[in-house]
Amino acid sequence: QVQLVESGGGSVQAGGSLRLSCAASGYTANSNCMGWFRRAPGKEREGVATIYTGGGVTYYTGSVKGRFTISQDNAKNTVYLQMNSLKPEDTAMYFCTAGFSPSRGVCEWKSWGQGTQVTVSS
């Protein structure tokens, strides 16, 4: 019963930056992993980044390593995705997720945000 509200999406030129925010509310006590997925037209959903809130361990898909950073503000129950050096291929609908991690490196996603569109033009 976690509600996720995303913000920060929009349009940006290639090479630019954008920061997505995801505010979690409701019963968040069992949500110890949060992340971002994206889905581009004609492509499968892709996990972009995950943060395991207890230990701060993060995961990034290879295509965004070095460009994207996931972080969290525990006091605000908010997770962020800082996206730098954006490329047209980053264009997608980005979804915030929250879940439960039963073991290291595994997150059972429980809640999904509505999605926010990121469009990168060349």
Side-chain angles (χ1 to χ4, degrees):
Q1 52 181 328
V2 176
Q3 293 77 49
L4 304 172
V5 180
E6 298 147 307
S7 62
S11 298
V12 65
Q13 294 275 356
S17 298
L18 210 59
R19 188 176 79 157
L20 307 183
S21 299
C22 175
S25 61
Y27 189 68
T28 62
N30 292 330
S31 297
N32 60 350
C33 48
M34 298 186 71
W36 294 90
F37 285 74
R38 67 185 181 186
R39 183 175 177 85
K43 296 185 177 180
E44 296 181 353
R45 185 191 68 186
E46 177 186 32
V48 177
T50 302
I51 184 165
Y52 293 86
T53 58
V57 177
T58 58
Y59 159 84
Y60 301 94
T61 191
S63 62
V64 309
K65 288 181 179 178
R67 300 189 297 119
F68 290 12
T69 303
I70 187 169
S71 61
Q72 63 183 354
D73 185 335
N74 290 328
K76 297 181 179 179
N77 288 325
T78 301
V79 65
Y80 304 93
L81 185 67
Q82 178 67 47
M83 304 183 292
N84 297 325
S85 301
L86 283 162
K87 304 175 181 179
E89 49 263 45
D90 294 318
T91 296
M93 184 72 73
Y94 284 72
F95 299 90
C96 178
T97 64
F100 171 72
S101 178
S103 60
R104 287 181 59 85
V106 178
C107 185
E108 298 178 350
W109 302 114
K110 303 295 184 181
S111 302
W112 294 78
Q114 293 295 113
T116 184
Q117 179 67 39
V118 172
T119 301
V120 184
S121 61
S122 59

